[in-house]
Amino acid sequence: MPILPSARILAIETSCDETACAILENGRALLGSTVASQMDIHARYGGVFPEVASRQHVLSIIPVVEEALSKSHLTLNDIDAIAVTRGPGLAGSLVVGMNAAKGLALGMSLPLIGVNHLEGHLYSAWVHNAGESVPEEPQFPLMVLLVSGGHTELDLMTDHLTYKRLGSTLDDAAGEAFDKVARLLALPYPGGPSVQRAAEDGDPMRFNFPRAWLEGTWDFSFSGIKTAVLRETKAYETKGRSLPVPDLAASFQAAVVDVLFNKTMRAAREFKAKEIIVAGGVSANRALRQAFQNQKEFKVHIPPLWLCTDNAAMIAAAGYYRFALGHTSPLDMDVQPTWPLR
Ligand code: KG4
Ligand code: ZN
């Protein structure tokens, strides 16, 4: 590994419904970060409304960048490179962040770095607040479980920016399954936190929902369990009985966590990983965090809650390693709404 240069990266993230900007030093120390959530707006529609999201980014992007700089006590003159989420995500949302980043790079004559959103999520394991204790640096080879609203996959990370995708979901992402089950149980958007809250008072053993192990592969499938929850809710409705929402939520969550945790542990053993990273919005789930925290076989890096869901600090971290290792992007780069991690 070459000696890496010191650099301050300003990163922009607008892939979905958060407008975010952060400034990070040397790939790890977070100097300032702002996340403007559109959650309240989309809650009215029960999910993210793409056109509304893009227009909201247009309104928020400049104030968010200004606030992140002001929290860092820096100006654009103190920045060494601009990183931006290139994809995957909603095209119209990505375009807003991309154009803002290009404007900053062009105006300040700074290098521009396109970052894969999923790569950003896994680099959240490197981030810490400047001035606070520095968590141990993840050691390669790493087994990475990426669980977000749009993706669920297992990746083997053998070095910085070097991944082998072992498996991914064949249908719904884990976060998507949480969101869909929340709707079935009439729980509010966003679904993941709502299901977790409902599950706290529930019995995880009441319903034995199916686990799709997909033996012989590192793939996942969550549509079967979602259908099983639907079948159960219909049976209650037919009988005119009220839904046991906490038990349904707890049993669903237990089944999802069971598969995510056990497949990741098996993959870590099989590929002789030194440590594990769990990242993406679903890594905020308490039951999933507990499953990994309760085992002693592998050191597991799970970001603190504020870094699990979408933010720009993680994009700055991935952007730093891309910048330091010479992977900058041309000013005419396009967004990539579907861009698998490679
Ligand atoms: O990474 P993320 O913020 O956005 C994407 O890149 O997709 O992930 C959002 C997903 C949503 O599906 C949301 O329901 C889920 O993460 N999520 C959770 C929890 N917090 C967020 N799922 C389960 N339990 C949670 N506590
Ligand atoms: Zn995300």
Side-chain angles (χ1 to χ4, degrees):
M1 184 76 184
I3 294 175
L4 298 178
S6 61
R8 284 196 196 114
I9 309 287
L10 181 148
I12 290 176
E13 150 66 39
T14 61
S15 66
C16 190
D17 60 342
E18 326 276 355
T19 318
C21 178
I23 295 119
L24 192 83
E25 199 160 56
N26 303 339
R28 300 204 68 189
L30 182 60
L31 303 178
S33 167
T34 296
V35 181
S37 173
Q38 306 174 6
M39 205 179 278
D40 296 347
I41 298 164
H42 298 291
R44 282 181 241 153
Y45 306 101
V48 179
F49 201 120
E51 194 179 333
V52 173
S54 332
R55 296 178 69 177
Q56 205 53 43
H57 287 308
V58 171
L59 295 175
S60 306
I61 187 70
I62 299 298
V64 162
V65 171
E66 283 175 341
E67 189 179 306
L69 279 166
S70 129
K71 281 184 182 170
S72 313
H73 307 291
L74 296 174
T75 71
L76 285 172
N77 292 317
D78 303 308
I79 303 299
D80 299 300
I82 307 290
V84 62
T85 304
R86 192 177 180 189
L90 301 170
S93 290
L94 290 165
V95 164
V96 179
M98 176 66 78
N99 279 341
K102 286 185 179 187
L104 290 173
L106 190 62
M108 299 301 295
S109 301
L110 292 173
L112 180 68
I113 309 144
V115 173
N116 183 301
H117 180 81
L118 303 170
E119 182 172 72
H121 271 301
L122 77 86
Y123 268 96
S124 57
W126 271 261
V127 177
H128 68 90
N129 272 318
E132 291 181 6
S133 66
V134 183
E136 279 175 57
E137 189 161 356
Q139 299 297 308
F140 304 116
L142 285 153
M143 185 54 60
V144 182
L145 173 67
L146 272 175
V147 269
S148 70
H151 295 81
T152 295
E153 57 186 71
L154 274 170
D155 299 286
L156 181 65
M157 186 179 187
T158 48
D159 200 348
H160 281 295
L161 314 180
T162 312
Y163 320 97
K164 182 171 191 265
R165 193 212 238 178
L166 305 175
S168 59
T169 183
L170 303 179
D171 38 61
D172 293 343
E176 197 178 350
F178 269 93
D179 295 335
K180 287 180 177 170
V181 164
R183 247 174 261 149
L184 290 177
L185 303 181
L187 295 169
Y189 169 87
S194 295
V195 170
Q196 173 179 307
R197 225 171 295 123
E200 273 160 23
D201 305 319
D203 174 5
M205 314 278 270
R206 167 105 179 255
F207 300 96
N208 186 18
F209 288 130
R211 275 87 164 143
W213 292 109
L214 307 182
E215 297 291 352
T217 78
W218 300 107
D219 291 329
F220 299 95
S221 165
F222 296 105
S223 70
I225 179 170
K226 178 196 62 193
T227 311
V229 176
L230 173 67
R231 215 177 297 124
E232 209 57 64
T233 58
K234 289 266 183 259
Y236 273 86
E237 278 166 23
T238 312
K239 289 179 202 147
R241 291 167 56 194
S242 61
L243 284 181
V245 172
D247 292 345
L248 286 164
S251 303
F252 161 77
Q253 181 177 265
V256 172
V257 168
D258 194 11
V259 174
L260 291 175
F261 170 70
N262 282 298
K263 280 202 95 146
T264 306
M265 292 296 290
R266 271 195 243 161
R269 281 178 213 122
E270 174 98 7
F271 290 90
K272 306 204 175 352
K274 260 200 194 132
E275 298 178 352
I276 293 173
I277 290 179
V278 185
V282 182
S283 67
N285 184 268
R286 195 177 300 143
L288 183 65
R289 299 170 80 87
Q290 268 165 6
F292 282 101
Q293 281 155 2
N294 288 345
Q295 58 77 40
K296 298 275 172 276
E297 196 179 342
F298 289 96
K299 180 172 175 57
V300 182
H301 304 265
I302 311 183
L305 292 180
W306 57 276
L307 280 172
C308 290
T309 45
D310 292 346
N311 64 84
M314 65 186 200
I315 303 300
Y320 168 78
Y321 286 97
R322 293 222 154 252
F323 171 74
L325 298 168
H327 297 244
T328 52
S329 311
L331 269 176
D332 65 352
M333 78 166 150
D334 194 4
V335 296
Q336 295 210 345
T338 56
W339 190 21
L341 182 66
R342 284 280 175 273

